[in-house]
Amino acid sequence: MRNTARYASLAAAGLLALSSLTACANDAAGSTVDTGSGGGKGETVKIMVGGLDKVIYLPAMLTQRLGYFQAEGVNVQLLSEPAGVQAETALVSGQVQGAVGFYDHTLDLQTKGKSVESVVQFSHAPGEVEVVSNKAAGDLTSPKDFKGRKLGVTGLGSSTDFLTKYLAVKNGVNVSEFSPVAVGAGPTFIAALQKGAIDGGMTTDPTVATVLDKKAGKILLDMRTPEGSQKALGGPYPSSSLYMQTDWVNGHKDTVQKLVNAFVKTLKWMSTHSADEIAAKMPADYSQGNKTLYAQAIKSTLPMFTDDGVMPQGGPETVEKVLKSFNPNIKNAKVDLSKTYTTEFVNAAK
């Protein structure tokens, strides 16, 4: 990638400059956040997350908080960037060994000559919500009305960018007929919505919960459940996952198995505990002073998660269909879906 060197330099600087066990993973801040190691004695693995405090990526921090990495004997260092596309960049540049982000990046990277695969699938729905500002809500009532609009995404080339473009094309709006605007998530997204810098946008909890609480906008389309994914995208949409470079996976299978074991235990734990119990395990600053609202954000998003880490049947095909609808690189390429994920480790974890 042309920007690899620049992002590699930024990521390296972030790794050197930031190292606090209690650092707040504010995905709107735009800086790399380092949570420190998990205290394990085994191999150290750095994992970049596309926003540690986003509920869609909650299993990453929760696994560390539950002590499952340490129990498996693997030393995990969690880092945070504001968008999944930046986590992807850190991975392919070799700054980290794993990325927690959307599975769809594995298809996009394959067309660019990069062999990357999901090793454990956290979800079977995107967990994304398209919200619209109160000012625009009167005549922005569906993706058919995206034409001429400024629509917020976490970053250009991110999964929110991908999904926004798909929804537009599916509803008869060309990708050149609206303007995607990179506004991150959290406070920066909300400020853009309130100030009119965007008419609407795609985001996740806890940003969604805060938008509604502040009465800054309304929900246009909800993809936090498998049913919502089916309605909007035509099938299950595997999103949040741990993906890694295939060569690294093949050379470190024991370590990858330990990581997957830990994540599968977390997913099972989540499926048997309430949103309040999950919220109580997370860093206090993730609630941004409103524990009730944060627990509600988790409750609204919980349906997106799998309880076993297994790739949902038909999920890769849905993702390919979505990407092919607007991405010329993928539309004109033959993607080998079997190389974009593996069930080897989740099957062994069970």
Side-chain angles (χ1 to χ4, degrees):
M1 292 183 179
R2 293 178 180 177
N3 291 327
T4 296
R6 180 165 65 90
Y7 281 117
S9 176
L10 289 171
L15 290 175
L16 290 170
L18 297 161
S19 56
S20 169
L21 283 169
T22 57
C24 170
N26 185 349
D27 62 339
S31 60
T32 300
V33 177
D34 182 351
T35 67
S37 69
K41 295 181 180 179
E43 182 172 8
T44 295
V45 179
K46 295 175 184 175
I47 298 176
M48 185 68 79
V49 184
L52 260 173
D53 59 354
K54 294 178 184 176
V55 178
I56 58 171
Y57 300 141
L58 181 148
M61 178 57 74
L62 182 58
T63 302
Q64 191 176 80
R65 302 283 286 190
L66 290 171
Y68 290 162
F69 291 135
Q70 187 173 0
E72 287 291 329
V74 62
N75 192 21
V76 172
Q77 188 176 18
L78 295 175
L79 303 146
S80 186
E81 282 285 7
V85 66
Q86 291 163 330
E88 168 199 298
T89 301
L91 177 70
V92 298
S93 67
Q95 294 300 310
V96 296
Q97 290 75 51
V100 168
F102 269 38
Y103 160 72
D104 54 24
H105 289 292
T106 68
L107 280 73
D108 186 49
L109 286 168
Q110 189 181 115
T111 67
K112 298 170 182 175
K114 305 292 184 181
S115 183
V116 174
E117 61 188 18
S118 165
V119 297
V120 56
Q121 196 63 46
F122 299 162
S123 59
H124 45 195
E128 302 282 356
V129 177
E130 185 73 25
V131 298
V132 58
S133 71
N134 292 326
K135 182 179 180 180
D139 49 12
L140 179 49
T141 60
S142 85
K144 294 179 181 179
D145 302 320
F146 280 179
K147 187 174 181 178
R149 298 292 184 173
K150 294 175 291 184
L151 301 174
V153 297
T154 53
L156 301 181
S158 67
S159 295
T160 51
D161 189 23
F162 290 165
L163 288 172
T164 301
K165 287 175 177 174
Y166 172 73
L167 291 173
V169 170
K170 180 186 177 185
N171 288 275
V173 179
N174 193 284
V175 294
S176 64
E177 293 180 312
F178 71 92
S179 301
V181 183
V183 292
T188 53
F189 182 97
I190 295 167
L193 197 67
Q194 291 175 319
K195 294 177 181 178
I198 55 174
D199 299 302
M202 191 171 292
T203 190
T204 60
D205 277 311
T207 306
V208 176
T210 305
V211 167
L212 298 179
D213 184 61
K214 289 178 175 289
K215 296 180 170 52
K218 302 175 181 178
I219 291 179
L220 183 69
L221 197 151
D222 194 336
M223 295 179 286
R224 291 177 291 189
T225 66
E227 294 77 17
S229 177
Q230 179 71 43
K231 182 177 179 180
L233 307 173
Y237 197 92
S239 55
S240 306
S241 66
L242 171 65
Y243 62 86
M244 314 180 89
Q245 297 205 58
T246 301
D247 285 346
W248 198 91
V249 172
N250 291 338
H252 301 79
K253 289 199 171 187
D254 183 58
T255 299
V256 175
Q257 187 64 63
K258 291 175 181 178
L259 290 169
V260 173
N261 289 347
F263 278 125
V264 170
K265 281 195 285 187
T266 296
L267 292 168
K268 290 186 182 301
W269 188 92
M270 289 170 60
S271 72
T272 58
H273 289 75
S274 69
D276 286 327
E277 291 171 319
I278 295 170
K281 290 289 185 181
M282 301 300 287
D285 52 5
Y286 281 22
S287 67
Q288 296 181 11
N290 192 329
K291 293 181 180 179
T292 301
L293 189 64
Y294 182 58
Q296 179 57 50
I298 292 175
K299 184 177 181 180
S300 298
T301 305
L302 274 177
M304 73 175 279
F305 293 107
T306 68
D307 61 4
D308 56 10
V310 174
M311 175 65 74
Q313 186 173 4
E317 289 77 13
T318 304
V319 172
E320 183 181 30
K321 177 195 72 174
V322 167
L323 296 183
K324 279 184 177 291
S325 72
F326 68 85
N327 188 323
N329 292 333
I330 294 180
K331 186 175 184 178
N332 300 320
K334 181 171 177 55
V335 177
D336 187 344
L337 292 177
S338 69
K339 292 182 179 179
T340 61
Y341 70 98
T342 177
T343 58
E344 173 185 350
F345 303 100
V346 288
N347 288 339
K350 289 190 294 184

